[in-house]
Every structure is written in structure tokens, then in C-alpha cells.
Amino acid sequence: QVQLVESGGGMVQAGGSLTLSCTTSLSRYKLRDAGWYRQAPGKQREVVASISYRGLNYPGETVYADSVKGRFTVSRDNSKNMVYLQMNALKPEDTGVYYCNAQAVRMFSSSISDYWGQGTQVTVSS
């Protein structure tokens, strides 16, 4: 069964940077519209950034939560079937579990489904 696989979380000091990556566990499933969410302890999961799919050679349109505008950048490399979240100027309040959510379509099929990753921990110390 296909899953989303995230990587790149870790611990960093305030002001530091991390880059998260997301892809599918099976290469025949290709990412389409995608988003990054985070969940801090005791809080609801919230959307951080999203990126649309507009074709193999197009970067996609991006949307950001106000809290991360100017600090985070979501991008994709369709040739590698990857979505990224570059996080700069990290703050302690950015701490949480970050999840990748994406639609994926199986090659040679019109079937598209929605998937979530297992989450990756980001901890920002002050």
C-alpha cells in the first residue's frame, strides 16, 4: 500500500533552518497537489503551506499560513516526485510534528487518492 514518506526533521536552535522532504513509498504513484501541516502538543493540526500541481514542467502555485510567510518556502521537483518545505529563521513556536499531505495518482491510471505521511518531528530550541 502506498504511503507518503517524509524526512528532514530534527532539532535546531532558534534562527536555524531545516528542509523537509516528501515523496511516495512506491515510485509508480506520482504526487499531485500537496501540503504541509503541523501539530504542536495540545493543539490542532494546522496547514503551513500548500503547492498545486500544474504539470510536469511547472513549479505549482503556493499558499502559506501567515505565521510562516517570508520564512518558509514550499517547492516541488516533479522529475524526482518530491515536495519540499524549506524552513528558515525558525522559532520555538514552529515546534511540532510536521505532516505531508498529498494527492497521488498511479501511473497509467486516472485513479487519484489522498495520502498522509507518518509525520516528522521538528523541535526549535530558544
Side-chain angles (χ1 to χ4, degrees):
Q1 184 173 351
V2 64
Q3 297 177 338
L4 297 184
V5 179
E6 302 136 338
S7 61
M11 183 177 296
V12 66
Q13 288 188 333
S17 298
L18 285 172
T19 299
L20 307 182
S21 301
C22 174
T23 188
T24 55
S25 59
L26 299 175
S27 61
R28 62 181 179 271
Y29 284 81
K30 303 302 182 181
L31 294 172
R32 292 296 182 256
D33 293 351
W36 288 95
Y37 291 72
R38 68 185 178 192
Q39 187 165 19
K43 294 187 177 181
Q44 288 188 331
R45 191 174 297 187
E46 61 176 356
V47 62
V48 174
S50 64
I51 185 165
S52 64
Y53 179 82
R54 289 294 179 263
L56 184 62
N57 298 316
Y58 293 89
E61 299 165 348
T62 58
V63 179
Y64 297 93
D66 288 343
S67 59
V68 306
K69 281 181 181 177
R71 300 188 298 121
F72 290 12
T73 301
V74 60
S75 62
R76 64 191 309 148
D77 185 337
N78 295 324
S79 67
K80 297 180 179 179
N81 199 33
M82 298 286 290
V83 172
Y84 305 98
L85 184 67
Q86 171 70 42
M87 304 183 292
N88 297 326
L90 282 161
K91 304 175 181 180
E93 51 263 43
D94 293 318
T95 294
V97 179
Y98 282 69
Y99 298 89
C100 179
N101 169 242
Q103 294 180 328
V105 60
R106 192 177 64 186
M107 290 178 64
F108 312 116
S109 169
S110 60
S111 174
I112 188 167
S113 297
D114 189 79
Y115 300 93
W116 286 88
Q118 78 286 357
T120 184
Q121 178 70 44
V122 171
T123 303
V124 184
S125 60
S126 57

